[in-house]
């Protein structure tokens, strides 16, 4: 009888222990399954890290190893159906650092070009030879960077200063104002021909990984 009571006591103690598998881990935290990691992080080699398929930079955005994801880590705010496809909408962009990762795309800022309406900052169209860019909605930040220069560095080591004149809308799209283009991704620096040429990049490639910072 004594042994039976002891077994019951031990059993109750075991089942009352907290389940470690339910713990939610942040960057570089321990994990066993995908559900163990916060946000868009995934479990790689038993540690929570950025998902390479999603392209997040929560763990690598200016922080050291083992840091927690920033409180303003960017999540999609919804989806917009455009041309039979669903595109994520973003009110935010990844945190800006001294070396912010981005995708450089090419935009036609002239009248009748693929940029749609005139630039938001000044209500004007621009020559594509100018060193100008549009930024994703989060980085555009309600126009706070209008008229200011940013420094863009390509992987080939070349850099350029370009002026912010427009928003690459990450929320709205598929209408006349946006030249019927889908919403912009939230990590885009949309540069003129002048920017691409200054960086020595091939416009026909369409997209290039770059870094940027406020100048």
């Amino acid at each position: 009888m004594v042994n039976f009571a002891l077994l019951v006591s031990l059993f109750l103690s075991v089942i009352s222990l907290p389940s470690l598998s339910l713990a939610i881990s942040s960057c570089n935290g321990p994990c066993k399954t995908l559900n163990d990691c916060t946000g868009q992080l995934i479990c790689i080699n038993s540690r929570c890290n950025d998902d390479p398929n999603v392209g997040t930079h929560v763990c690598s955005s200016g922080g050291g190893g083992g840091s927690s994801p920033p409180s303003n880590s960017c999540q999609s705010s919804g989806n917009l159906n455009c041309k039979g496809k669903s595109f994520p909408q973003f009110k935010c962009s990844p945190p800006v650092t001294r070396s912010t990762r981005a995708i450089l795309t090419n935009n036609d800022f002239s009248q009748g070009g693929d940029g749609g309406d005139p630039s938001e900052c000044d209500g004007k169209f621009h020559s594509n030879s100018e060193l100008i860019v549009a930024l994703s909605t989060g980085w555009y930040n309600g126009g706070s960077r209008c008229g200011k220069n940013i420094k863009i560095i390509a992987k080939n080591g070349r850099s350029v200063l370009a002026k912010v004149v427009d928003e690459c809308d990450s929320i709205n799209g598929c209408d006349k104002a946006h030249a019927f283009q889908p919403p912009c991704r939230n990590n885009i620096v949309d540069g003129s021909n002048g920017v691409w040429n200054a960086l020595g990049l091939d416009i026909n490639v369409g997209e290039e990984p770059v870094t940027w910072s406020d100048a």
Side-chain angles (χ1 to χ4, degrees):
M1 181 66 70
V2 174
N3 289 338
F4 177 76
L6 180 61
L7 288 174
V8 171
S9 178
L10 289 172
F11 176 75
L12 291 176
S13 298
V14 170
I15 65 173
S16 65
L17 290 173
S19 174
L20 297 178
S21 64
L22 296 178
I24 302 299
S25 293
S26 55
C27 290
N28 294 313
C31 60
K32 291 184 179 180
T33 70
L34 296 180
N35 294 329
D36 293 340
C37 302
T38 60
Q40 293 178 306
L41 302 181
I42 64 170
C43 191
I44 302 177
N45 297 327
S46 300
R47 293 287 175 180
C48 292
N49 215 321
D50 291 310
D51 186 343
N53 294 321
V54 176
T56 56
H57 302 295
V58 174
C59 297
S60 56
S61 58
S67 61
S68 298
S71 59
N72 61 339
S73 57
C74 187
Q75 304 289 336
S76 171
S77 59
N79 292 279
L80 180 68
N81 292 319
C82 178
K83 301 178 182 178
K85 296 182 179 180
S86 180
F87 294 88
Q89 298 168 292
F90 291 93
K91 296 179 181 179
C92 56
S93 291
V96 176
T97 68
R98 288 177 294 179
S99 184
T100 311
R101 297 182 188 184
I103 300 297
L104 178 70
T105 53
N106 181 239
N107 185 45
D108 185 348
F109 291 87
S110 64
Q111 188 168 8
D114 58 14
D117 280 356
S119 298
E120 280 196 27
C121 289
D122 56 13
K124 298 178 181 178
F125 291 103
H126 292 266
S127 167
N128 289 310
S129 63
E130 294 182 52
L131 299 177
I132 52 178
V133 296
L135 296 178
S136 293
T137 296
W139 290 338
Y140 181 73
N141 194 28
S144 67
R145 288 188 169 89
C146 277
K148 297 180 180 179
N149 285 335
I150 64 169
K151 183 179 182 180
I152 307 167
I153 303 176
K155 293 188 72 175
N156 60 15
R158 296 180 66 167
S159 64
V160 66
L161 292 179
K163 184 170 71 173
V164 178
V165 298
D166 203 0
E167 174 186 9
C168 194
D169 199 328
S170 305
I171 303 173
N172 306 296
C174 302
D175 53 17
K176 183 179 179 181
H178 299 87
F180 299 99
Q181 298 294 317
C184 203
R185 282 166 286 171
N186 70 335
N187 63 339
I188 297 297
V189 173
D190 207 15
S192 63
N193 289 1
V195 168
W196 279 75
N197 292 334
L199 292 173
L201 300 175
D202 183 359
I203 294 174
N204 294 319
V205 172
E207 296 186 356
E208 287 281 358
V210 296
T211 60
W212 73 274
S213 61
D214 292 308

